[in-house]
Structure formats: structure tokens, C-alpha cells
Amino acid sequence: MDKLEIVRCLRLANDLWAIEGANLYSIRAHSLSADAISDSPLSIGEILSLPPGSIKGVGRETLAMVTALQEGGMQALLQRLHVNIPLSCAELLRLPGIGPKTAHALVHQFGIHCAEELNRALQNGSLQGVPGIGSKRLARLRRDLRVFLDRKHSIPIALAWPLGIQLVELVSQIQGVSRASLTGSLRRSVVAVPEIEVIAALDNAGPLTEWAAQFTLQKKTSKDPVCREDLSKNSTDPISGQSGFNVLLPVHGDDIPVHIHTVTEADYARRLMETTGDQTHQAVISGLLMQQNIEWNRDSLQVNSEEEIYALLGLPYFPPEVREDNGLLCTPSRLIQPSDIMGDLHVHSTWSDGSLSISEIAQMAEELGYEYIAVTDHSQSLTIANGLTPERLRQQREEIAEVQKHTPVRILHGSEVDILADGRLDLPDDTLFELDLVIASVHSAMHQTKEEMTERILRAIEHPAVHIIGHLTGRILGRRSGYDLDLNRIVEAAFTHGVMLELNANPNRLDIFEQPLRTVKAKGMLVPINTDTHHRGEFQNINYGVRMAQRGWLYQENVLNALPYTDLIEALHRPRQSP
Ligand SMILES: [Zn+2]
Ligand SMILES: [Zn+2]
């Protein structure tokens, strides 16, 4: 067990201990010990070798608990604390307004051991007379639970994708695994997934089984099948006869559910396509194969790659991103690719809240092989982000001109100007018209009504200096749903006024997304795919943007920043130079 995992177990045990009625003073002391271990630069081995009390807050009892954990796992630790309730009970404390006393009553009087059971009890009305939960509180709890369960059962792509890629690398290197890949909805770049799915072709299951067995946190004690999970155990699905492992991966104090499909090498390609889905795509493909008397099973369909499956049907390879809805009507060779991207049109510098200077931005662009880059800092009302006044924008223009002398990359001077609450822009018109590129975005007053927010954005679209609306819906994946907007009216107005809707490639946003992308493509509008980079590593987010663009069926010719520089400048030409 590494230190992170030990601290996580200590905290989890402490929560359960609180539910079981331990006194507040002891709970607080245990919590501080866990913090002290977490903050200490020493390894667990080093901490255990020191005399008790050498680290403030880490006394004899804490060291004994850590030893118990290392020797006997979570069960040993809980025994030490005389805690005898399922681990899943701890999540009750994560619901707003539920403290240890209420949780104790839920567990012991109502037999509720996890959020799902609580939700069910709420729905069937069996939750009456819980101490600390009156009728008003019940209504709020219902709402909070919905958000909690949604989040619990979905992992945002910003977390899932890099983890999935790491897992595939890790699994590929395990002995007995001949090849592995991401699969499931994550492979299709769906922005929130219930679990990370990996598929592995095996000639020997032993080492992978051993690897999976290290994830020993099991939620077996609860009577409820929803809470009870047989983890890290090779299971065979009774319906499909398919094998796989379920594991819970501890990441930053959370359990991330992972499913590893295990297949034979000979059946890998078929199962890769099947597990990638989606179901409709799968049904169409197997239906077409049936017409050629090929059945969707390992004996009838013997192939080495997904490409071969499509080839049997006379089809080109379809990337997973378009294997939904009518995606099979796309021409895959025309879909936008990362290598088509010629520049990035939404980047923040140290002039506002970015961490790169303009010359560093230009250098990054050169390294990425870009032909152009736009510096688009925030505007004055966003004081928290050190937004630029017209005066500072003029000074910035001089610096850009200076940097331009030393780089082949064309630097556009832009602004991400705030759309104020009433739809006015945060910079005077003459300043806006001097800029090469104007992105208008909402960063404040986000709780307006649908009507207000729609009118506000429409007003910005009507401004003749505006080229692009940034992160239109304002959604933050896993945290905040987008504003209530009349998307049809907005797309219509943007089309009329020649304003583009950004596809913000930040993996926490991916905004706009599939459906509106398909709509704007159908109208012949160009889409900029922008990283909205604030820090060096974020230029790479362009890949998330391109995958989302593929989900929106965008071709190279639909993407603004796939245009060469001269065409870009033409596309940014403003027909009207005054409001
Ligand atoms: Zn923004
Ligand atoms: Zn921005």
C-alpha cells in the first residue's frame, strides 16, 4: 500500500468510526494524524521506523493503525476500531447536511448502507422520522442525491482519458497480455463515462489476475446488491459468456471503477468493436455481416483488426468517435485530424491570467509546427484575471510587434472580451476594431434566466467586431451544467451575422459539443477549435477538441484553424467596421 492509499484508508475508517459514535475529540485527532502523514515528506516506511510522536500528531495509536492496515488491510484496521459496518456507509457523510448522527440512524434504524439505498428509500417513501431530516430537508436531500449519484456514476473525460491511456500502457506490459486498448464509451470520447473500460488479449490470465488482486478494497459486507461488488475477481458474465475484471482504482481519494475485458488473441478485434459500441452501430455492422452469411461470433468472424471487419463490408475504417447515430454516413477520410490544425486562436498570456509570456507562446506555437497563434487575454472587467484595459491592450500590441520580428509564426492580437450582464462588450468599439480577433465570452452573472442569457449572447453576436463566441454554454463537466439557452436562436443569429461558435477544447468544457456542432456544420459555418490555453501543457488539449469535432462530424474544411494563414485572415475579415 502506498502512502496515498494508506491516508485514504485512514480517512475512510475515521468516517465509519464517526458514524459508529466515536467521540468528536478522537475523530478530530485521527483526522489530524492522517493529514500529518499526508503532509510529511517521509515515506510510510520511514514514518514507521521513527519513535511515536516524532511527527506531530502521529503517535503510538496512529502507527499501530498504519501497521494494522499494512498487515491485514482495511478489515484489520476496522476491527481495531470496532467498526462493523460496510465501507459504503461512509459516502452518506458526503451528502450535504448529513452528519455522523443522522448517518448512524440511517444505517442502524433504516438499514441504509449507501447513497443508492438512501435514494430508493426516499423514492418509496419509507424514510420518515430520521433524526435531523425534516420534511423540508427531505426535499433538498432528493435534489442533492440526484447530483451526487450522477457524479458518482460518471467520470469526466478530463480524468478518465489520461487514466485510461495509462492503464492501457500498464496492462499491455503485463506478462501474458499480447495487446490492449481503451474500449467502451471512453474510446468513443464520450465526455462522461460510468467506468473506464480496457480490453486485453491474453494467452495467460495469471499475471493479470494477480495484478487486479492488489485492489483489495472490497465492499462485500452490505446486503444490498448495488453496494456489494465482487472486486478484482475474474468474473464471467452469465449472459454473454464474456470474461473480465472489475477493479476500483484509488485515485486522489476516489475510487474509479475500471472494467477490463479479457479475450483471446483470436477474438480481440471482434470484441474490441463490440465493446466499443455503440449498440446501434454494432447492430448495423452485424446486420450487414449477416447479409453476407457471416455471424457475429468468434467462429464465423475471424479477423485480426477492426479495419478487416469494415473491409468485409466494403467500408473504410470508422474511428470510434463517429460510431454513433448517423456517423456511418460520414466520409471518415475527410474528418478533421490533429495534423490538420494550423494554429491556436484562444491563448492567455501573463498579461492576464496565463503563465506564458508572448514570446514563450510564439515559441510553443513554433514547436507545435503552427503557422499562426492568437493571443487573446481577458478584458478589463475580469479583474480577478487581471483583464486588460484599452491602454494595456495598446501596450500589448507593441510587445506582440516586437516578438513578431523574431518568429516565423504569425501572431494575431486578439481579446477574449467579456459579454457583460446586459450583452454589451467590455471594451470600447474602437479598441475592438483595432484587434485582429475578438472572442466574446460570458464569465459573470451566470444565473440569468434562459431568456436573459439568450438575449445577452444574441446582443454580442450582433456586434460587428465579434468573430467568435467563446465556450457558449458555459458547462464545466462533472461540476456545472451549461446555461439554459435557446441554442436554435443563437445558431441562427450567428449564421446570419457571420459569427462563429467556438469548440473550446479544454477537456473540462468541450463546449460546443456534438449536436450543435452537427447543426453548424450543416449550415456551412466554420468552427474554431480552441484550447483556451493558460499554461504550457494545455496546448495539447487540442486533441480533445479534435476528437469532439469528430463526434460532431466536422471535416477539415469545416474548421477555421485548419485554414492556412491567408485564408484565415480572409475568414476573419469584418464586412462592417462600425456598430
Ligand atoms: Zn473564457
Ligand atoms: Zn479564455
Side-chain angles (χ1 to χ4, degrees):
M1 244 186 230
D2 66 9
K3 194 159 101 171
L4 203 74
E5 183 60 6
I6 284 186
V7 169
R8 199 180 75 90
C9 289
L10 288 174
R11 293 203 171 114
L12 179 59
N14 207 27
D15 283 346
L16 295 167
W17 201 38
I19 294 174
E20 287 305 75
N23 74 55
L24 280 177
Y25 176 78
S26 312
I27 295 292
R28 174 100 186 111
H30 278 204
S31 163
L32 290 174
S33 316
D35 291 348
I37 292 176
S38 170
D39 294 343
S40 162
L42 302 178
S43 72
I44 279 296
E46 288 164 335
I47 291 173
L48 283 175
S49 68
L50 294 171
S54 304
I55 298 172
K56 192 166 179 285
V58 183
R60 196 176 304 278
E61 172 59 16
T62 308
L63 294 178
M65 282 174 23
V66 173
T67 308
L69 250 181
Q70 283 200 316
E71 287 171 359
M74 198 61 186
Q75 284 313 323
L77 175 59
L78 293 180
Q79 251 167 27
R80 225 191 134 75
L81 296 170
H82 306 290
V83 167
N84 197 20
I85 53 175
L87 300 183
S88 57
C89 295
E91 76 185 19
L92 296 173
L93 291 181
R94 289 207 246 153
L95 290 160
I98 294 190
K101 275 207 181 107
T102 308
H104 182 91
L106 288 172
V107 173
H108 292 287
Q109 289 174 30
F110 295 84
I112 288 168
H113 299 112
C114 62
E116 280 89 355
E117 288 180 351
L118 180 59
N119 193 38
R120 226 168 307 142
L122 270 174
Q123 275 167 4
N124 64 28
S126 63
L127 209 62
Q128 298 296 330
V130 182
I133 305 188
S135 59
K136 250 198 204 144
R137 180 77 201 95
L138 269 183
R140 233 184 38 232
L141 191 56
R142 239 176 233 122
R143 257 202 343 258
D144 292 342
L145 255 171
R146 245 201 321 272
V147 177
F148 180 86
L149 289 173
D150 278 355
R151 210 177 320 162
K152 182 179 168 188
H153 295 301
S154 82
I155 317 163
I157 193 167
L159 176 62
W161 186 271
L163 262 179
I165 298 293
Q166 277 178 42
L167 263 173
V168 168
E169 269 173 36
L170 213 149
V171 167
S172 305
Q173 284 162 16
I174 292 174
Q175 216 197 341
V177 175
S178 54
R179 50 178 164 162
S181 163
L182 271 188
T183 189
S185 45
L186 184 57
R187 183 165 178 244
R188 301 198 312 273
S189 297
V190 173
V191 295
V193 296
E195 60 181 357
I196 296 176
E197 288 180 74
V198 171
I199 183 168
L202 300 177
D203 45 43
N204 168 13
L208 185 64
T209 311
E210 225 169 84
W211 173 82
Q214 68 180 297
F215 303 99
T216 49
L217 275 185
Q218 302 197 6
K219 299 180 177 175
K220 276 189 169 171
T221 27
S222 166
K223 292 184 198 79
D224 187 285
V226 181
C227 306
R228 191 180 60 229
E229 294 173 32
D230 288 325
L231 302 169
S232 59
K233 188 174 142 205
N234 198 344
S235 60
T236 304
D237 181 335
I239 299 167
S240 62
Q242 310 297 354
S243 303
F245 298 96
N246 286 317
V247 295
L248 283 181
L249 207 63
V251 179
H252 310 316
D254 255 327
D255 284 330
I256 305 292
V258 173
H259 185 79
I260 301 179
H261 302 268
T262 51
V263 297
T264 58
E265 172 58 35
D267 203 23
Y268 178 82
R270 185 187 73 89
R271 289 279 294 142
L272 175 61
M273 182 180 276
E274 185 175 280
T275 51
T276 298
D278 70 1
Q279 285 182 354
T280 312
H281 173 269
Q282 184 52 46
V284 171
I285 296 293
S286 21
L288 290 171
L289 284 169
M290 272 303 264
Q291 293 175 7
Q292 304 192 19
N293 292 322
I294 304 172
E295 281 184 52
W296 189 266
N297 62 48
R298 77 183 86 176
D299 300 321
S300 181
L301 182 62
Q302 295 188 356
V303 284
N304 234 322
S305 65
E306 288 182 328
E307 281 84 347
E308 287 178 35
I309 301 178
Y310 287 115
L312 283 170
L313 300 169
L315 292 172
Y317 174 78
F318 282 81
E321 282 77 6
V322 296
R323 297 185 198 170
E324 289 178 24
D325 303 322
N326 290 330
L328 279 172
L329 300 179
C330 288
T331 308
S333 61
R334 292 170 67 190
L335 287 168
I336 180 78
Q337 300 296 328
S339 56
D340 297 330
I341 299 295
M342 311 279 282
D344 200 326
L345 296 173
H346 186 163
V347 180
H348 296 270
S349 76
T350 45
W351 282 79
S352 67
D353 59 350
S355 64
L356 296 171
S357 68
I358 290 172
S359 83
E360 285 170 322
I361 290 172
Q363 197 189 328
M364 276 303 294
E366 202 177 332
E367 282 170 26
L368 290 163
Y370 286 163
E371 198 184 339
Y372 48 83
I373 193 92
V375 177
T376 55
D377 279 305
H378 291 291
S379 59
Q380 52 195 359
S381 78
L382 215 59
T383 45
I384 190 172
N386 195 24
L388 273 65
T389 58
E391 179 50 32
R392 286 185 67 219
L393 267 167
R394 251 165 248 132
Q395 293 164 8
Q396 188 184 42
R397 193 169 192 80
E398 286 165 26
E399 184 177 328
I400 287 178
E402 191 51 40
V403 175
Q404 185 65 81
K405 290 180 193 161
H406 309 285
T407 174
V409 176
R410 305 303 298 256
I411 310 172
L412 282 80
H413 187 207
S415 167
E416 183 183 17
V417 61
D418 259 58
I419 304 175
L420 302 172
D422 60 2
R424 281 179 304 122
L425 299 182
D426 188 31
L427 287 168
D429 290 344
D430 56 342
T431 305
L432 290 171
F433 279 114
E434 273 172 33
L435 294 164
D436 304 323
L437 174 69
V438 174
I439 302 174
S441 306
V442 168
H443 294 114
S444 61
M446 298 183 187
H447 297 292
Q448 293 180 325
T449 63
K450 178 175 181 175
E451 186 62 18
E452 284 167 341
M453 190 57 97
T454 303
E455 289 301 330
R456 173 184 184 180
I457 292 173
L458 286 177
R459 193 167 166 195
I461 287 173
E462 285 159 16
H463 194 293
V466 171
H467 295 105
I468 296 170
I469 300 295
H471 44 74
L472 175 66
T473 77
R475 73 176 185 178
I476 302 288
L477 295 164
R479 242 189 306 156
R480 175 174 96 200
S481 51
Y483 327 124
D484 211 358
L485 284 176
D486 188 336
L487 271 178
N488 288 337
R489 278 183 71 199
I490 287 176
V491 171
E492 214 41 62
F495 174 72
T496 307
H497 293 276
V499 168
M500 292 169 275
L501 303 178
E502 169 186 83
L503 161 46
N504 191 295
N506 183 312
N508 295 302
R509 291 189 182 271
L510 294 169
D511 181 13
I512 57 177
F513 37 89
E514 301 86 347
Q515 217 50 58
L517 284 170
R518 293 170 195 172
T519 310
V520 301
K521 174 187 171 175
K523 294 183 88 68
M525 295 161 68
L526 285 169
V527 177
I529 307 178
N530 294 338
T531 60
D532 198 354
T533 286
H534 288 72
H535 308 286
R536 192 178 292 273
E538 292 170 9
F539 282 109
Q540 293 304 330
N541 289 342
I542 193 72
N543 295 306
Y544 285 101
V546 168
R547 288 197 298 271
M548 175 52 82
Q550 292 183 343
R551 288 181 58 79
W553 306 337
L554 298 194
Y555 294 156
Q556 179 182 14
E557 69 256 32
N558 304 123
V559 175
L560 176 70
N561 47 326
L563 294 175
Y565 179 71
T566 41
D567 295 351
L568 171 80
I569 295 306
E570 206 170 298
L572 294 179
H573 173 72
R574 298 179 179 99
R576 286 190 295 147
Q577 289 289 319
S578 61

